[in-house]
Amino acid sequence: MTSIQQRLSTGRGKFTTDYPELGTAPVNYEDSISEEFFAAERKAVFERNWLCVGRIERLPRKGSYFTRELPGRLASIVVTRDLNDTVHAFHNVCAHRGNKVVWQEHPGRESSGSCRAFACKYHGWRYGLDGKVNHITNEGEFFDLDKSSLRMPPVHCEVWAGFIFVNLAEDPVPLRSFLGDGLLPIEDYPFHLMTQHYGFSTRINGNWKLAVDSVCEWYHPPYVHGRFIDPDVAKAEKMVPPVDAYHYELFRPHMLTSVPGPPPLPAREPGTAGPARQDQRWVYKLFRAGLFGPDDIPDLGFGGAPPDFLNRGNIASWGNDQFWLFPNLSVQIWARGYYITYTYWPETVDSHIYEIDMYFVPPSNAAGRLAQELVVDSTIEFAMQDVNTIEATHSALKTRAQNTFHLSDQELLIRQFHTVIRDTVAAYQAGEAS
């Protein structure tokens, strides 16, 4: 064990045995390749749970709106902020002939803007910011219209910590009840200060759950990300924190992992980065930033120490907390004063849309902006390295040559995640059968 690993080691035993209901047996990945399971999962998981569709900063003023096309034709949603500052969501479909109401040049593309009412491009029916009809073209030509009952179908919508959630179910549990005690404390984090936004999305040819799996463990970095750590795998293995340096916490259906990270670089005088080299570490030193964030950390009002709801495992050299909000959202809060969200939207059993959104306190100068952009670039590069493994895993699983797989203690969150998905689907199917 290297000196770095010795410093981070805690001597703690295994985490999985703290959750005997999960067991330690090999797992089956049929839930990631079965067409039948995917159809049931869509109904049980995505049509009945709270889904994050954006941040409140996307609705900066009264009359603001944006649309979301939830992949796999799950829904087309309009999210608005009305003149009373209430946030609404509704299905983007006209009560007249079913046309999509809110779109610009291309019906399939998302849009945003500000207005006082929406007008259907097909026949001119108009809708208020609450989705209700307020004008019908040639109204007298219709028969027995109850105008007061006509609207774009409403979608349950709640805002928590600035995150906008929707739920497609008819009568969902309230959002705060769904989040529970394990997640509610992080609403005190100053998300609202971090309005410098960088976003990226792509389609991945693999099941969405395999993508979640890829960032739920820290077993893979020396091999998948070896070029960033050290091209010599043996050296890379020695630089990765030891198994007991992480923290895991399950509060079903959600979960948390805390990760150690390197300390910020000390302050330096301008021009002292040394001669230019084709070396990632030199680039990090030059821009005073790296994968774990900028070295110049903004003042978030915590007095230099994270608040009690962060780093719950008191791990040494804390790097970030990764909160998993079931079913498809990860909120990573980083020690260096920024946060990232990862969202996974299934299209088919074999593909999904992967979204990465990064939020920083707006930079005060060009050096701060360049540091943030280096963090963004590094994060996306790491994410794309993970994507290669997802597509390779999915294509191999589809052969069904192997049926069961062994998970280590580091892969506790994967065991929990697949268990909750399978249990949720089973409960839905049992309810349908009865």
Side-chain angles (χ1 to χ4, degrees), residues 271-347:
T272 57
R277 300 201 309 268
Q278 289 186 332
D279 180 274
Q280 190 71 29
R281 294 176 191 166
W282 183 84
V283 174
Y284 287 168
K285 185 178 180 182
L286 175 66
F287 290 100
R288 292 186 53 75
L291 179 66
F292 279 74
D295 291 299
D296 299 311
I297 302 172
D299 181 9
L300 301 179
F302 298 144
D308 292 342
F309 54 82
L310 297 178
N311 191 19
R312 300 176 188 177
N314 294 315
I315 62 174
S317 193
W318 174 63
N320 70 67
D321 280 349
Q322 183 171 247
F323 293 89
W324 283 97
L325 285 66
F326 184 81
N328 67 329
L329 173 68
S330 169
V331 178
Q332 285 187 357
I333 299 178
W334 291 71
R336 299 197 189 182
Y338 70 106
Y339 74 99
I340 309 176
T341 64
Y342 296 84
T343 317
Y344 306 83
W345 295 104
E347 290 186 310

Side-chain angles (χ1 to χ4, degrees), residues 196-200 356-360 363 368-369 372-373 376:
Q196 183 73 23
H197 171 235
Y198 303 84
F200 171 81
I356 304 174
D357 292 277
M358 306 184 68
Y359 301 85
F360 300 83
R369 175 67 180 261
Q372 291 179 2
E373 292 189 357
V376 172

Side-chain angles (χ1 to χ4, degrees), residues 177-416:
S177 298
F178 172 72
L179 295 173
D181 294 340
L183 290 173
L184 288 177
I186 68 172
E187 66 187 334
D188 291 330
Y189 188 73
F191 295 106
H192 63 284
L193 297 180
M194 300 168 199
T195 56
Q196 183 73 23
H197 171 235
Y198 303 84
F200 171 81
S201 68
T202 189
R203 175 177 288 105
I204 297 177
N205 296 318
N207 188 269
W208 70 283
K209 293 186 294 298
L210 301 178
V212 172
D213 292 350
S214 73
V215 285
C216 276
E217 47 86 3
W218 304 95
Y219 191 18
H220 70 274
Y223 317 103
V224 176
H225 309 303
R227 184 170 63 85
F228 273 81
I229 303 171
D230 196 300
D232 184 331
V233 171
K235 292 180 180 178
E237 289 176 329
K238 294 176 180 179
M239 293 180 66
V240 172
V243 174
D244 64 349
Y246 304 89
H247 174 72
Y248 305 96
E249 199 172 317
L250 308 183
F251 27 93
R252 186 174 173 139
H254 317 293
M255 51 195 186
L256 160 71
T257 179
S258 297
V259 180
L265 290 173
R268 66 172 173 83
E269 294 296 323
T272 57
R277 300 201 309 268
Q278 289 186 332
D279 180 274
Q280 190 71 29
R281 294 176 191 166
W282 183 84
V283 174
Y284 287 168
K285 185 178 180 182
L286 175 66
F287 290 100
R288 292 186 53 75
L291 179 66
F292 279 74
D295 291 299
D296 299 311
I297 302 172
D299 181 9
L300 301 179
F302 298 144
D308 292 342
F309 54 82
L310 297 178
N311 191 19
R312 300 176 188 177
N314 294 315
I315 62 174
S317 193
W318 174 63
N320 70 67
D321 280 349
Q322 183 171 247
F323 293 89
W324 283 97
L325 285 66
F326 184 81
N328 67 329
L329 173 68
S330 169
V331 178
Q332 285 187 357
I333 299 178
W334 291 71
R336 299 197 189 182
Y338 70 106
Y339 74 99
I340 309 176
T341 64
Y342 296 84
T343 317
Y344 306 83
W345 295 104
E347 290 186 310
T348 69
V349 67
D350 299 319
S351 69
H352 70 280
I353 301 298
Y354 177 33
E355 297 175 347
I356 304 174
D357 292 277
M358 306 184 68
Y359 301 85
F360 300 83
V361 173
S364 59
N365 53 43
R369 175 67 180 261
L370 289 170
Q372 291 179 2
E373 292 189 357
L374 179 61
V375 177
V376 172
D377 182 71
S378 301
T379 300
I380 293 174
E381 173 65 23
F382 265 65
M384 292 303 95
Q385 291 172 8
D386 288 328
V387 165
N388 281 337
T389 66
I390 295 160
E391 295 192 347
T393 300
H394 186 83
S395 62
L397 288 174
K398 290 285 281 189
T399 68
R400 292 182 168 85
Q402 288 270 23
N403 294 318
T404 56
F405 302 89
H406 300 268
L407 298 181
S408 71
D409 192 55
Q410 291 189 62
E411 295 155 308
L412 167 63
L413 269 59
I414 298 173
R415 189 181 295 276
Q416 148 98 352

Side-chain angles (χ1 to χ4, degrees), residues 71-285:
R73 298 191 181 276
L74 183 65
S76 176
I77 302 291
V78 183
V79 183
T80 69
R81 183 174 181 175
D82 71 14
L83 301 182
N84 295 316
D85 271 338
T86 301
V87 177
H88 300 273
F90 34 85
H91 291 280
N92 194 5
V93 57
C94 183
H96 173 220
R97 290 263 296 278
N99 191 56
K100 182 177 285 187
V101 176
V102 187
W103 55 284
Q104 295 178 2
E105 295 299 320
H106 303 280
R109 294 183 185 175
E110 296 180 347
S111 63
S112 62
S114 182
C115 66
R116 298 182 69 88
F118 301 109
C120 180
K121 293 176 174 58
Y122 203 176
H123 298 97
W125 283 37
R126 292 199 294 269
Y127 298 83
L129 294 168
D130 58 359
K132 295 179 180 179
V133 168
N134 60 24
H135 169 78
I136 296 175
T137 308
N138 298 334
E139 185 174 346
E141 295 295 314
F142 289 86
F143 305 92
D144 304 320
L145 274 185
D146 179 7
K147 184 176 176 180
S148 65
S149 68
L150 298 176
R151 61 171 301 146
M152 287 187 272
V155 175
H156 293 281
C157 179
E158 295 189 32
V159 180
W160 170 76
F163 295 94
I164 302 171
F165 288 83
V166 299
N167 195 310
L168 303 177
E170 290 185 7
D171 186 24
V173 64
L175 175 61
R176 294 183 68 84
S177 298
F178 172 72
L179 295 173
D181 294 340
L183 290 173
L184 288 177
I186 68 172
E187 66 187 334
D188 291 330
Y189 188 73
F191 295 106
H192 63 284
L193 297 180
M194 300 168 199
T195 56
Q196 183 73 23
H197 171 235
Y198 303 84
F200 171 81
S201 68
T202 189
R203 175 177 288 105
I204 297 177
N205 296 318
N207 188 269
W208 70 283
K209 293 186 294 298
L210 301 178
V212 172
D213 292 350
S214 73
V215 285
C216 276
E217 47 86 3
W218 304 95
Y219 191 18
H220 70 274
Y223 317 103
V224 176
H225 309 303
R227 184 170 63 85
F228 273 81
I229 303 171
D230 196 300
D232 184 331
V233 171
K235 292 180 180 178
E237 289 176 329
K238 294 176 180 179
M239 293 180 66
V240 172
V243 174
D244 64 349
Y246 304 89
H247 174 72
Y248 305 96
E249 199 172 317
L250 308 183
F251 27 93
R252 186 174 173 139
H254 317 293
M255 51 195 186
L256 160 71
T257 179
S258 297
V259 180
L265 290 173
R268 66 172 173 83
E269 294 296 323
T272 57
R277 300 201 309 268
Q278 289 186 332
D279 180 274
Q280 190 71 29
R281 294 176 191 166
W282 183 84
V283 174
Y284 287 168
K285 185 178 180 182

Side-chain angles (χ1 to χ4, degrees), residues 12-31:
R12 190 195 192 285
K14 289 183 169 61
F15 281 86
T16 305
T17 50
D18 292 344
Y19 304 94
E21 69 278 7
L22 294 178
T24 56
V27 301
N28 186 291
Y29 272 92
E30 187 68 18
D31 63 2

